[in-house]
Amino acid sequence: MYCFGVDIGGTTVKMGLFQEDGTVLDKWEIVTRKEDHGAAILPDVAKAIEEKLAERGIEKEKVVGIGVGVPAPVTDGGIVKQTANLNWEYKNVKAELEELTGIKTKVENDANVAALGEMWKGGGKGNKNMVMVTLG
């Protein structure tokens, strides 16, 4: 089984294809197109995911989900009410990306998911506590 990680930034969207256990299979980035209130960002992400599935010969049914980090507060339902650097004023990121890809999606604040990733597979692995500071 596979999953995708997506880090939406103000300049680029960094993406990764992973095995379910966290093993990195591929990583790449695309340009963050912020014009027109960032309308192209999620369609571009969906297109990049579709292209990677085709390139790797992976059936969509073998993808358990997409995890998305967004540089903004995110509600439990995957809604971003406003971003400073993506030009989004209100965006249901979870619903839109699920509709575009047909893949279950989870959306959280980018710094929070970076900390979770470091605790799971990175610098905090094996520790009970960890502090992470992000600069941008």
Side-chain angles (χ1 to χ4, degrees), residues 21 31 33 35 38 40 43 59 82 90 107 118 130:
D21 67 0
V31 173
R33 296 192 302 144
E35 64 276 358
E59 297 173 13
Q82 185 174 6
Y90 178 94
V107 183
E118 286 297 325
M130 183 187 84

Side-chain angles (χ1 to χ4, degrees), residues 35-51:
E35 64 276 358
D36 194 27
H37 298 285
I41 296 170
L42 295 179
D44 287 351
V45 168
K47 180 181 176 190
I49 288 171
E50 295 287 343
E51 288 173 349

Side-chain angles (χ1 to χ4, degrees), residues 4-134:
F4 286 93
V6 179
D7 178 16
I8 301 177
T11 306
T12 61
V13 178
K14 292 172 181 60
M15 304 180 71
L17 172 63
F18 301 85
Q19 290 178 334
E20 200 172 5
D21 67 0
T23 302
V24 179
L25 299 175
D26 201 351
K27 56 185 177 176
W28 70 103
E29 59 185 57
I30 60 174
V31 173
T32 304
R33 296 192 302 144
K34 299 181 290 187
E35 64 276 358
D36 194 27
H37 298 285
I41 296 170
L42 295 179
D44 287 351
V45 168
K47 180 181 176 190
I49 288 171
E50 295 287 343
E51 288 173 349
K52 190 58 66 177
L53 290 173
E55 174 189 313
R56 293 285 188 135
I58 298 171
E59 297 173 13
K60 195 178 287 189
E61 295 74 28
K62 293 188 177 183
V63 178
V64 294
I66 303 168
V68 181
V70 179
V74 180
T75 70
D76 288 342
I79 296 169
V80 174
K81 294 182 180 174
Q82 185 174 6
T83 61
N85 59 351
L86 300 179
N87 297 330
W88 288 345
E89 294 177 7
Y90 178 94
K91 174 117 5 224
N92 190 331
V93 178
K94 174 181 170 41
E96 186 174 333
L97 199 52
E98 285 181 343
E99 183 176 319
L100 288 166
T101 63
I103 300 170
K104 183 179 175 180
T105 301
K106 180 73 175 165
V107 183
E108 294 292 341
N109 171 268
D110 59 352
N112 292 343
V113 295
L116 287 171
E118 286 297 325
M119 194 71 168
W120 183 35
K121 293 285 184 179
K125 185 176 180 178
N127 294 299
K128 183 178 177 185
N129 298 299
M130 183 187 84
V131 173
M132 180 168 173
V133 177
T134 62

